[in-house]
Amino acid sequence: MPPKPKIRQRKLQFFHTRVCDHRSERATFDYFKQPSTEEASDGERNRTDHPTAPPDVLDSAETPLVVEAVKPTQTFRSRKADSVKAWQNIRSKLRSAYYQSIVPTSEECDICHEEIPNPVFCCDCSSQPVFCEDCAVQSHHQNAQFHKLLQYKDGTRCRFEFRRELSTTTHNCDEQYMKSMTIFERNGSSFSCQVTFCRCLTEMESLVKFGYWPSSPVDPANAISMNLLQWMTGSLLETNSSVKSICQSLKVSAGLNDGEVTYLYRTLTNETFEEYRHFRFCVSNTPLESTDIDDGASCPACPKEGGEAFISLDANFGLVRKKNSGSSNEPPKHASRYFIEQNIVDSFVEAYDADGAYREDDKECSNFQAASAVRAKNKAANLDATGVFGSACRHGIPHIFLSMCHGERYAYPALLLKTLVEGCSVHYHVIYDIACKFDGHIQKRMPWLSGFDVALPVFHAYGHKLPCQILYSTRWKTNYGLTDGECMERLWSYLRKFSHVTKEMTPSHRIDLLSDALFHFASGKIANIGNALCMSLQKGRDVANQSQCQLQQVCSSHNVSVEAIKQWRQEAKDQLTQHGKSKRHKQGWKETYVIKLQYHQHLCTEILLCEDQEQVMLLNSHIRQVLNELRAIEEKNGISSRWTCDSSEYIEVEVALRSQKMKMLKEKMRCQAVEYSYLKEISRKYSDGQAIAQRVSRQLIRASRSLKKSITTYNEEFLPQPPIPYTQAADPSNEFYHHLHEMQQQSSDMIPARVKQNAVDALNMNERGLEEQRLVTTEMKNSINFFKQQIERIESQLSRLNTVAMQEEENGICCLLREKAAYYKKLMETCSEQFRRAIGGYIGIDANEVLLSDDDEDLDETID
């Protein structure tokens, strides 16, 4: 089929043009603008007025309106070309302007207006004023002494130095003294400064009160601006750069020399930077200790008591730590907020290993190395931590983590889930890469977790066999909505970028940095929770509507009902999960006797053809063993003479065995054909370059090989005439399988298998889309209630503090609490407005009545 011709659309813009004026002053007129409620009452004004039009253009309704066709909307490539051309036109002008700004244009001081031979100018003041030396010192002595001053002398620029003094005291005290220190300002520049202290406070406390962080806890020799440290923290968490790289960047931006960069780096790595990050976290999130105010890492949308939540588990083997990276002098500063204490992890894993929890099961889905103590060995002997195992909710907000010292074992998810459910009334749906194996392990080893519902992530499901995809995929399981379970992969994509830094850290510093990164990641998710939930709700609607249209099309085209499609789904599930689980036919003594006779005949033939004496002796021992078993069967069942190949009893049993074997092989081939057809249909949904398509392609190749092997066995064993071809065996609806018992029970409809599969997929997605809408609506309510609860708790703390005589410290804490309350209020207002538009505009009711209702049944009714 030839490609469809592209339709080029021309956009018409309308301009008001003064016909009598050759300059043709124009103002863009948005002709297709939707009028607001206030504008709807005056339609004539909507057609003539424009809110951004200049008054001299739209000053009269009688101005003639000239319609001109302009060029079509520019493409990105054309806009890019125009931008490049525009930059090319002004390059020389920009260089010329910079050259002119290097040398002061005036030879007199802007303050005293005297002529000066060597003018001084400030790079940080606006418009770069020119000073004489005395005026430069006087104007910058009080509040601008850390500005960068340059002096034009002998035809070049050099740094202008003067005595800088910083007073950290706010009262007159007889115990004042001065100390020379190096100050690193907010832009990274370093200055030598005389700092005034008093003995009423320690030097460290005095520096913090005036916005500087001490370089050491005792007798600091320099101080760093907290604004600079905050910028470094943001660079660390956003760009994943090391502290050394951040210091090197100041060499370019602030003009530091190598000695100053090295000095700053050594100062920061002497516990200074770690202490500041922890200080900033405490004052920003938990200004009061032992309170129930959230620390900024809890998911607003997930239930806190009762209800259902979704948790994804996964391991990352990139966040390692070397053994020779040193030891810690104190435990992690964040304690166990995210990471479980390592001694608890080690003792639990050791007890779990000693209890025989890792028995290999060859009948599992796939040959995964995860959770296998036999194959999950340390990747390198010089690693102290081999990775991180963690969890996150379906909104991508981190929950609990731990450091691994081995491969991915069952003990790690077991400990994590045990920690998660202790004292918690929430029912969790667990999504794990090896859910098929972990489900059986839970039933055998962890009965206290038997109430958990486990599932496979959407993307990782294609690495499993097809029966596991049907049983554990979130697209087939109920009450999962459109949860994909891949939130841990998104988290790892951010967190693994710290691997080049954490592998060289001490254990405590590694945990602290990863915890800071998790807090930072969670804060971004929480700030965007409103948009995320609205997008999820819209996705649920789109999926439900689209799949509903597909279902209606199938029902009308083939005259079937939704109940019939549900029956197809159950039949497909039974067929796809039948392979490997069907019970073997129980053999009687006659079948066992004939099989032993055939084996005895085979051994006798082998011994006649064998020339190796050792092999002959081995075959003789097998023959004696089989003869003893035959005698035992004959004595037990009263057989006086041994059956031969010509006896009627032997022929009857042999025919029955052959028929049973043929039926079992055909059942196996049919299950393989169903799996092949299902995977082939899935592969059509994705492009060849997609990662999911590659996984499905590998599964399709394996299914094809298994089917070909079974076809070869069937043709060699039963010698059909003509031999069964691959195309015939690969079609589950072929006449070759019609005599099977299960096929006889199927309906006699002639609906193609591909139509059935598409209908089943549409039914699954329709149900998941409706579930997603119910889940998201409940999560919206949880978010509003969470924000309200946090605001109430903060106000309760404020009222408690206001009842006592507050000192300076309490005033500062109250200020931080009010700012935190204002942050939650802003989030609640923003989310309420977003939810009002998302829910109210769809179901036609007041969204606040739904979000603030205590009756969860109302939520289901609004969606239904």
Side-chain angles (χ1 to χ4, degrees), residues 626-694:
V626 173
L627 287 175
N628 292 332
E629 294 173 353
L630 288 173
R631 295 190 189 99
I633 294 175
E634 291 170 351
E635 291 177 0
K636 183 178 180 179
N637 296 280
I639 300 177
S640 57
S641 60
R642 184 161 297 169
W643 293 358
T644 62
C645 297
D646 299 332
S647 59
S648 59
E649 296 90 346
Y650 181 92
I651 295 174
E652 181 182 356
V653 176
E654 184 185 25
V655 171
L657 285 174
R658 185 178 177 85
S659 176
Q660 183 64 29
K661 186 176 182 180
M662 179 184 293
K663 182 180 179 181
M664 292 178 62
L665 186 56
K666 280 191 174 184
E667 288 179 349
K668 179 181 177 181
M669 293 168 60
R670 186 197 61 187
C671 292
Q672 292 172 342
V674 171
E675 180 177 359
Y676 175 79
S677 301
Y678 182 81
L679 292 172
K680 190 174 182 181
E681 182 63 29
I682 292 179
S683 65
R684 294 191 178 99
K685 300 180 180 179
Y686 303 101
S687 302
D688 294 337
Q690 290 182 322
I692 294 182
Q694 296 175 3

Side-chain angles (χ1 to χ4, degrees), residues 819-832:
E819 291 176 358
K820 195 175 183 68
Y823 169 74
Y824 281 124
K825 289 179 181 178
K826 183 64 176 178
L827 272 181
M828 186 175 67
E829 292 173 0
T830 304
C831 291
S832 297

